[in-house]
Amino acid sequence: MLGVTDLTKTYGDATALDEVSVSWDEGLHCLAGPNGSGKTTLLRVLAGLTRADSGGVTVPDSLGVAFQTPNVYPDLTVAENLDVFGALADADDDWRASLVDQLRLGPVVGRTASDLSGGFRKKLDLALALLKRPDALLLDEPLADLDPATRRRLVATAVRYSDDHPVVASTHHLDAFSEDYATLTVVVDGRVAGAWDRSDAPASPAAVYERTLAASEAGRGNGF
């Protein structure tokens, strides 16, 4: 289980998260909301990178995290990045090889990370996040600025991992995940504006998101 209860986080006079409660189990779960709504702050609190002012945080023993800016060693090759992070994660060779295959990193394993395209850096970052086979995976805007083929590859890898792990992705590209959502949580102005479960109400996540924003702006609360 992964989640937060009555979580509040402020930065000076600005409230980033206001008594947010949400939880996730196995499956692919997406966070959506306007820029500045608090999505990244929520993921950072879950990852232990930001301390909340109040509220509870529940995380499993290990988390894999990939933020919008890839966290790789730019002066090392792809293979060397995998070696370094793999040693830290005690990753087995078969799992590492599987990730290289799933993300199609084979053609660039000898290239320096700083010389990679943005798409390949994103794929390398996701591979590094998954090396230790984490109990849950957090993704912050994983599909931003990527071509359609790379998006499909990242989505396929995340969906495959979500079969038996919680995978939480903050994204504006809702349609890219539209066939694979377990839940969609919409955050507006630091609050949960709506929480939708596919098993309760099959629908287009993008359409549900737009209805939720419209309801929130009109002061009607949950648009689901």
Side-chain angles (χ1 to χ4, degrees):
M1 186 64 71
L2 175 71
V4 299
T5 305
D6 297 328
L7 191 80
T8 296
K9 172 61 182 176
T10 59
Y11 296 99
D13 294 332
T15 300
L17 297 170
D18 189 3
E19 297 186 348
V20 169
S21 294
V22 61
S23 62
W24 303 281
D25 51 15
E26 293 177 358
L28 177 67
H29 309 278
C30 287
L31 285 172
N35 291 332
S37 60
K39 304 185 301 297
T40 295
T41 297
L42 177 56
L43 294 188
R44 288 183 61 84
V45 169
L46 286 167
L49 300 174
T50 297
R51 185 183 296 275
D53 297 336
S54 62
V57 179
T58 301
V59 294
D61 290 337
S62 63
L63 279 174
V65 180
F67 283 100
Q68 186 168 355
T69 300
N71 182 27
V72 302
Y73 288 115
D75 296 330
L76 300 183
T77 66
V78 170
E80 289 167 340
N81 269 278
L82 291 166
D83 286 342
V84 171
F85 281 88
L88 293 172
D90 195 24
D92 65 79
D93 292 340
D94 288 343
W95 177 236
R96 169 180 158 166
S98 173
L99 290 173
V100 169
D101 180 62
Q102 289 180 51
L103 292 165
R104 299 295 190 265
L105 289 169
V108 297
V109 290
R111 292 177 58 181
T112 303
S114 61
D115 293 332
L116 297 177
S117 67
F120 272 116
R121 281 197 297 272
K122 285 269 193 178
K123 291 195 287 185
L124 173 58
D125 193 38
L126 179 55
L128 300 180
L130 287 171
L131 273 175
K132 61 182 176 182
R133 295 180 187 261
D135 297 318
L137 179 64
L138 305 178
L139 305 173
D140 186 26
E141 293 296 345
L143 307 181
D145 303 320
L146 298 182
D147 64 82
T150 302
R151 286 182 189 175
R152 287 193 296 271
R153 182 61 54 187
L154 288 178
V155 168
T157 301
V159 169
R160 189 178 296 110
Y161 202 72
S162 74
D163 285 344
D164 48 14
H165 300 85
V167 174
V168 179
S170 168
T171 182
H172 291 292
H173 298 282
L174 295 173
D175 286 339
F177 292 103
S178 61
E179 299 302 319
D180 304 292
Y181 280 91
T183 67
L184 170 64
T185 302
V186 179
V187 180
V188 179
D189 294 331
R191 289 179 173 270
V192 174
W196 167 79
D197 189 313
R198 178 182 292 280
S199 64
D200 295 334
S204 161
V208 170
Y209 174 64
E210 292 300 330
R211 289 201 303 269
T212 303
L213 287 187
S216 178
E217 291 170 357
R220 297 197 301 270
N222 194 334
F224 297 117

